[in-house]
Short mmCIF file of all heavy atoms in Angstrom, two decimals:
data_model
loop_
_atom_site.label_atom_id
_atom_site.label_comp_id
_atom_site.label_asym_id
_atom_site.label_seq_id
_atom_site.Cartn_x
_atom_site.Cartn_y
_atom_site.Cartn_z
N PRO A 9 178.97 223.43 69.63
CA PRO A 9 178.94 223.28 71.09
C PRO A 9 178.57 224.60 71.78
O PRO A 9 178.71 225.67 71.21
CB PRO A 9 180.37 222.86 71.44
CG PRO A 9 181.20 223.15 70.25
CD PRO A 9 180.29 223.20 69.06
N ASN A 10 178.10 224.48 73.01
CA ASN A 10 177.72 225.62 73.85
C ASN A 10 176.59 226.46 73.25
O ASN A 10 176.52 227.65 73.46
CB ASN A 10 178.94 226.52 74.14
CG ASN A 10 180.09 225.72 74.71
OD1 ASN A 10 179.89 224.87 75.58
ND2 ASN A 10 181.28 225.95 74.20
N THR A 11 175.74 225.79 72.46
CA THR A 11 174.54 226.44 71.94
C THR A 11 173.40 225.44 72.11
O THR A 11 173.64 224.27 72.43
CB THR A 11 174.65 226.76 70.42
OG1 THR A 11 174.65 225.53 69.69
CG2 THR A 11 175.93 227.55 70.10
N VAL A 12 172.16 225.90 71.89
CA VAL A 12 171.01 224.98 71.95
C VAL A 12 171.10 223.93 70.84
O VAL A 12 170.39 222.93 70.87
CB VAL A 12 169.67 225.73 71.84
CG1 VAL A 12 169.42 226.58 73.07
CG2 VAL A 12 169.60 226.58 70.58
N HIS A 13 171.97 224.17 69.86
CA HIS A 13 172.08 223.26 68.72
C HIS A 13 173.06 222.12 68.96
O HIS A 13 173.16 221.21 68.15
CB HIS A 13 172.54 224.05 67.48
CG HIS A 13 171.68 225.24 67.19
ND1 HIS A 13 170.41 225.13 66.67
CD2 HIS A 13 171.89 226.55 67.40
CE1 HIS A 13 169.89 226.34 66.55
NE2 HIS A 13 170.76 227.21 66.98
N GLU A 14 173.79 222.18 70.07
CA GLU A 14 174.82 221.18 70.36
C GLU A 14 174.23 219.78 70.32
O GLU A 14 173.14 219.52 70.83
CB GLU A 14 175.41 221.45 71.75
CG GLU A 14 176.56 220.52 72.08
CD GLU A 14 177.35 220.97 73.31
OE1 GLU A 14 176.91 221.89 74.01
OE2 GLU A 14 178.40 220.38 73.55
N GLY A 15 174.96 218.87 69.66
CA GLY A 15 174.52 217.47 69.61
C GLY A 15 173.46 217.18 68.58
O GLY A 15 173.05 216.04 68.39
N ARG A 16 172.98 218.21 67.89
CA ARG A 16 171.97 217.99 66.86
C ARG A 16 172.63 217.96 65.49
O ARG A 16 173.64 218.61 65.26
CB ARG A 16 170.93 219.11 66.86
CG ARG A 16 169.99 219.04 68.04
CD ARG A 16 168.90 220.08 67.92
NE ARG A 16 167.89 219.87 68.94
CZ ARG A 16 166.60 220.12 68.78
NH1 ARG A 16 166.14 220.60 67.65
NH2 ARG A 16 165.75 219.89 69.75
N ILE A 17 172.04 217.18 64.59
CA ILE A 17 172.54 217.12 63.23
C ILE A 17 171.44 217.68 62.33
O ILE A 17 170.31 217.20 62.36
CB ILE A 17 172.90 215.67 62.83
CG1 ILE A 17 174.04 215.17 63.72
CG2 ILE A 17 173.28 215.60 61.35
CD1 ILE A 17 174.39 213.71 63.52
N TYR A 18 171.81 218.70 61.58
CA TYR A 18 170.84 219.37 60.72
C TYR A 18 171.08 219.00 59.26
O TYR A 18 172.20 219.10 58.77
CB TYR A 18 170.94 220.89 60.88
CG TYR A 18 170.55 221.35 62.26
CD1 TYR A 18 171.52 221.59 63.22
CD2 TYR A 18 169.22 221.50 62.60
CE1 TYR A 18 171.17 221.99 64.50
CE2 TYR A 18 168.85 221.90 63.89
CZ TYR A 18 169.83 222.14 64.83
OH TYR A 18 169.48 222.53 66.09
N GLN A 19 170.02 218.54 58.60
CA GLN A 19 170.08 218.21 57.17
C GLN A 19 169.47 219.37 56.39
O GLN A 19 168.44 219.91 56.79
CB GLN A 19 169.26 216.94 56.87
CG GLN A 19 169.77 215.70 57.55
CD GLN A 19 171.07 215.20 56.94
OE1 GLN A 19 171.38 215.48 55.79
NE2 GLN A 19 171.85 214.48 57.71
N LEU A 20 170.13 219.72 55.28
CA LEU A 20 169.64 220.80 54.44
C LEU A 20 169.60 220.35 52.99
O LEU A 20 170.33 219.44 52.60
CB LEU A 20 170.57 222.02 54.51
CG LEU A 20 170.79 222.70 55.84
CD1 LEU A 20 171.93 222.06 56.59
CD2 LEU A 20 171.06 224.16 55.63
N LYS A 21 168.73 221.00 52.22
CA LYS A 21 168.69 220.80 50.77
C LYS A 21 169.15 222.10 50.14
O LYS A 21 168.70 223.17 50.53
CB LYS A 21 167.27 220.52 50.29
CG LYS A 21 166.75 219.16 50.70
CD LYS A 21 167.08 218.15 49.65
CE LYS A 21 166.51 216.80 50.00
NZ LYS A 21 167.50 215.75 50.04
N LEU A 22 170.06 221.97 49.17
CA LEU A 22 170.49 223.14 48.42
C LEU A 22 170.16 222.86 46.97
O LEU A 22 170.40 221.76 46.46
CB LEU A 22 171.99 223.36 48.58
CG LEU A 22 172.45 223.65 50.01
CD1 LEU A 22 173.02 222.42 50.66
CD2 LEU A 22 173.46 224.78 50.03
N PHE A 23 169.57 223.84 46.33
CA PHE A 23 169.19 223.66 44.93
C PHE A 23 169.89 224.73 44.09
O PHE A 23 169.65 225.92 44.28
CB PHE A 23 167.68 223.74 44.75
CG PHE A 23 167.25 223.44 43.35
CD1 PHE A 23 167.10 222.12 42.93
CD2 PHE A 23 167.01 224.46 42.44
CE1 PHE A 23 166.71 221.83 41.62
CE2 PHE A 23 166.63 224.19 41.13
CZ PHE A 23 166.48 222.86 40.72
N CYS A 24 170.78 224.29 43.21
CA CYS A 24 171.54 225.20 42.34
C CYS A 24 170.85 225.24 40.99
O CYS A 24 170.99 224.31 40.19
CB CYS A 24 172.97 224.71 42.17
SG CYS A 24 173.87 224.65 43.72
N GLY A 25 170.11 226.29 40.75
CA GLY A 25 169.42 226.45 39.47
C GLY A 25 170.41 226.67 38.33
O GLY A 25 171.62 226.73 38.55
N LYS A 26 169.88 226.84 37.13
CA LYS A 26 170.76 226.97 35.97
C LYS A 26 171.61 228.23 36.01
O LYS A 26 172.62 228.33 35.32
CB LYS A 26 169.96 226.86 34.67
CG LYS A 26 168.92 227.96 34.48
CD LYS A 26 168.13 227.71 33.20
CE LYS A 26 167.11 228.74 32.86
NZ LYS A 26 166.71 229.72 33.83
N ASP A 27 171.23 229.22 36.83
CA ASP A 27 172.00 230.47 36.93
C ASP A 27 173.08 230.44 38.00
O ASP A 27 173.79 231.42 38.19
CB ASP A 27 171.06 231.65 37.20
CG ASP A 27 170.12 231.88 36.01
OD1 ASP A 27 170.54 231.64 34.87
OD2 ASP A 27 168.98 232.30 36.24
N TYR A 28 173.16 229.33 38.74
CA TYR A 28 174.24 229.21 39.73
C TYR A 28 175.56 229.10 38.98
O TYR A 28 175.61 228.44 37.95
CB TYR A 28 174.01 227.96 40.59
CG TYR A 28 175.05 227.76 41.67
CD1 TYR A 28 174.92 228.42 42.87
CD2 TYR A 28 176.16 226.96 41.45
CE1 TYR A 28 175.89 228.26 43.87
CE2 TYR A 28 177.13 226.80 42.44
CZ TYR A 28 176.98 227.45 43.64
OH TYR A 28 177.93 227.32 44.61
N PRO A 29 176.65 229.71 39.40
CA PRO A 29 176.87 230.48 40.64
C PRO A 29 176.61 231.98 40.51
O PRO A 29 176.93 232.73 41.41
CB PRO A 29 178.36 230.23 40.91
CG PRO A 29 178.97 230.09 39.56
CD PRO A 29 177.90 229.46 38.70
N ASP A 30 176.00 232.42 39.40
CA ASP A 30 175.68 233.85 39.30
C ASP A 30 174.56 234.24 40.25
O ASP A 30 174.48 235.36 40.72
CB ASP A 30 175.31 234.21 37.86
CG ASP A 30 176.50 234.02 36.91
OD1 ASP A 30 177.61 234.48 37.26
OD2 ASP A 30 176.33 233.40 35.86
N LYS A 31 173.67 233.29 40.50
CA LYS A 31 172.59 233.50 41.47
C LYS A 31 172.76 232.46 42.56
O LYS A 31 173.21 231.35 42.30
CB LYS A 31 171.24 233.32 40.78
CG LYS A 31 171.00 234.32 39.66
CD LYS A 31 169.60 234.88 39.72
CE LYS A 31 169.43 236.12 38.89
NZ LYS A 31 169.47 235.84 37.45
N PRO A 32 172.36 232.80 43.78
CA PRO A 32 172.56 231.85 44.89
C PRO A 32 171.64 230.64 44.77
O PRO A 32 170.60 230.71 44.12
CB PRO A 32 172.18 232.68 46.12
CG PRO A 32 171.23 233.71 45.62
CD PRO A 32 171.68 234.03 44.22
N PRO A 33 172.05 229.54 45.40
CA PRO A 33 171.15 228.39 45.45
C PRO A 33 170.01 228.68 46.43
O PRO A 33 170.13 229.58 47.26
CB PRO A 33 172.04 227.27 46.00
CG PRO A 33 173.08 227.98 46.80
CD PRO A 33 173.30 229.31 46.14
N SER A 34 168.92 227.94 46.30
CA SER A 34 167.92 228.03 47.36
C SER A 34 168.36 227.05 48.44
O SER A 34 168.92 225.99 48.15
CB SER A 34 166.53 227.69 46.83
OG SER A 34 166.50 226.38 46.34
N VAL A 35 168.17 227.45 49.68
CA VAL A 35 168.66 226.66 50.81
C VAL A 35 167.49 226.42 51.75
O VAL A 35 166.75 227.35 52.10
CB VAL A 35 169.79 227.42 51.56
CG1 VAL A 35 170.34 226.57 52.69
CG2 VAL A 35 170.89 227.84 50.60
N LYS A 36 167.32 225.16 52.15
CA LYS A 36 166.18 224.80 52.98
C LYS A 36 166.59 223.76 54.01
O LYS A 36 167.22 222.76 53.65
CB LYS A 36 165.11 224.24 52.04
CG LYS A 36 163.78 224.02 52.67
CD LYS A 36 162.79 223.60 51.59
CE LYS A 36 161.43 223.41 52.20
NZ LYS A 36 160.43 223.06 51.21
N PHE A 37 166.27 224.00 55.27
CA PHE A 37 166.52 223.00 56.31
C PHE A 37 165.47 221.91 56.20
O PHE A 37 164.28 222.19 56.17
CB PHE A 37 166.44 223.64 57.71
CG PHE A 37 167.71 224.31 58.14
CD1 PHE A 37 167.97 225.63 57.78
CD2 PHE A 37 168.64 223.64 58.92
CE1 PHE A 37 169.14 226.27 58.18
CE2 PHE A 37 169.82 224.26 59.33
CZ PHE A 37 170.06 225.58 58.96
N GLN A 38 165.93 220.64 56.16
CA GLN A 38 165.02 219.49 56.21
C GLN A 38 164.69 219.21 57.68
O GLN A 38 163.60 218.77 58.00
CB GLN A 38 165.67 218.26 55.60
CG GLN A 38 166.09 218.40 54.17
CD GLN A 38 164.90 218.48 53.24
OE1 GLN A 38 164.48 219.57 52.87
NE2 GLN A 38 164.37 217.35 52.87
N THR A 39 165.69 219.42 58.53
CA THR A 39 165.53 219.25 59.97
C THR A 39 164.89 220.52 60.51
O THR A 39 165.30 221.62 60.14
CB THR A 39 166.91 219.07 60.64
OG1 THR A 39 167.66 218.09 59.91
CG2 THR A 39 166.77 218.64 62.09
N ARG A 40 163.91 220.37 61.39
CA ARG A 40 163.27 221.56 61.94
C ARG A 40 164.27 222.32 62.80
O ARG A 40 165.02 221.74 63.57
CB ARG A 40 162.04 221.16 62.75
CG ARG A 40 160.97 220.56 61.84
CD ARG A 40 159.66 220.39 62.52
NE ARG A 40 159.25 221.63 63.16
CZ ARG A 40 158.34 221.70 64.14
NH1 ARG A 40 157.77 220.61 64.56
NH2 ARG A 40 158.02 222.84 64.68
N ILE A 41 164.27 223.65 62.64
CA ILE A 41 165.19 224.49 63.40
C ILE A 41 164.54 225.85 63.61
O ILE A 41 163.79 226.33 62.77
CB ILE A 41 166.55 224.65 62.66
CG1 ILE A 41 167.57 225.38 63.55
CG2 ILE A 41 166.37 225.34 61.32
CD1 ILE A 41 168.99 225.37 63.00
N ASN A 42 164.82 226.43 64.76
CA ASN A 42 164.36 227.78 65.05
C ASN A 42 165.59 228.68 64.97
O ASN A 42 166.48 228.61 65.80
CB ASN A 42 163.73 227.83 66.45
CG ASN A 42 163.14 229.19 66.76
OD1 ASN A 42 163.04 230.06 65.89
ND2 ASN A 42 162.74 229.37 68.00
N MET A 43 165.65 229.51 63.92
CA MET A 43 166.76 230.43 63.68
C MET A 43 166.22 231.69 63.06
O MET A 43 165.25 231.63 62.29
CB MET A 43 167.74 229.77 62.70
CG MET A 43 169.11 229.47 63.25
SD MET A 43 170.09 228.59 62.01
CE MET A 43 171.24 229.87 61.56
N SER A 44 166.86 232.82 63.33
CA SER A 44 166.34 234.10 62.86
C SER A 44 166.24 234.22 61.33
O SER A 44 165.44 234.97 60.83
CB SER A 44 167.18 235.24 63.42
OG SER A 44 168.54 235.07 63.04
N CYS A 45 167.03 233.43 60.59
CA CYS A 45 167.00 233.55 59.12
C CYS A 45 166.19 232.45 58.44
O CYS A 45 166.16 232.36 57.22
CB CYS A 45 168.43 233.57 58.57
SG CYS A 45 169.34 232.04 58.88
N VAL A 46 165.54 231.59 59.25
CA VAL A 46 164.84 230.43 58.68
C VAL A 46 163.34 230.55 58.88
O VAL A 46 162.87 230.87 59.97
CB VAL A 46 165.35 229.11 59.34
CG1 VAL A 46 164.60 227.91 58.81
CG2 VAL A 46 166.85 228.95 59.12
N ASN A 47 162.59 230.32 57.82
CA ASN A 47 161.14 230.32 57.88
C ASN A 47 160.70 229.07 58.66
O ASN A 47 160.99 227.94 58.23
CB ASN A 47 160.58 230.30 56.45
CG ASN A 47 159.07 230.26 56.41
OD1 ASN A 47 158.43 229.52 57.15
ND2 ASN A 47 158.51 231.06 55.53
N LEU A 48 160.03 229.27 59.79
CA LEU A 48 159.64 228.14 60.65
C LEU A 48 158.70 227.17 59.96
O LEU A 48 158.73 225.98 60.23
CB LEU A 48 159.00 228.65 61.94
CG LEU A 48 159.94 228.86 63.12
CD1 LEU A 48 159.20 229.46 64.30
CD2 LEU A 48 160.63 227.57 63.53
N GLU A 49 157.84 227.68 59.07
CA GLU A 49 156.87 226.83 58.38
C GLU A 49 157.55 225.92 57.35
O GLU A 49 157.29 224.73 57.30
CB GLU A 49 155.83 227.69 57.64
CG GLU A 49 154.97 228.54 58.55
CD GLU A 49 154.07 227.68 59.41
OE1 GLU A 49 153.27 226.90 58.85
OE2 GLU A 49 154.16 227.79 60.65
N THR A 50 158.41 226.53 56.52
CA THR A 50 158.95 225.81 55.36
C THR A 50 160.38 225.31 55.55
O THR A 50 160.84 224.46 54.80
CB THR A 50 158.94 226.71 54.12
OG1 THR A 50 159.85 227.80 54.36
CG2 THR A 50 157.55 227.25 53.82
N GLY A 51 161.11 225.90 56.51
CA GLY A 51 162.52 225.55 56.68
C GLY A 51 163.44 226.31 55.73
O GLY A 51 164.66 226.14 55.77
N ALA A 52 162.86 227.15 54.88
CA ALA A 52 163.67 227.88 53.90
C ALA A 52 164.52 228.95 54.59
O ALA A 52 164.04 229.65 55.49
CB ALA A 52 162.78 228.53 52.85
#
């Protein structure tokens, strides 16, 4: 609430490779979002 994201539902894909949890999963927004840590083209 009280952000531009209020009322939106964001879907993400997380992929845990064979090295998880020693290495982080890859994280990708399926829902388009504009955020400083997200690649606008790919959602990653």
Side-chain angles (χ1 to χ4, degrees):
N10 307 316
T11 69
V12 292
H13 307 286
E14 185 167 10
R16 287 186 171 214
I17 297 174
Y18 295 97
Q19 297 288 336
L20 300 88
K21 289 270 183 236
L22 298 100
F23 185 83
C24 298
K26 63 183 182 347
D27 295 327
Y28 181 84
D30 295 314
K31 298 224 165 71
S34 61
V35 183
K36 189 174 182 178
F37 277 85
Q38 301 290 96
T39 312
R40 294 190 51 199
I41 187 170
N42 185 9
M43 244 176 108
S44 57
C45 63
V46 178
N47 179 316
L48 268 176
E49 296 294 302
T50 65

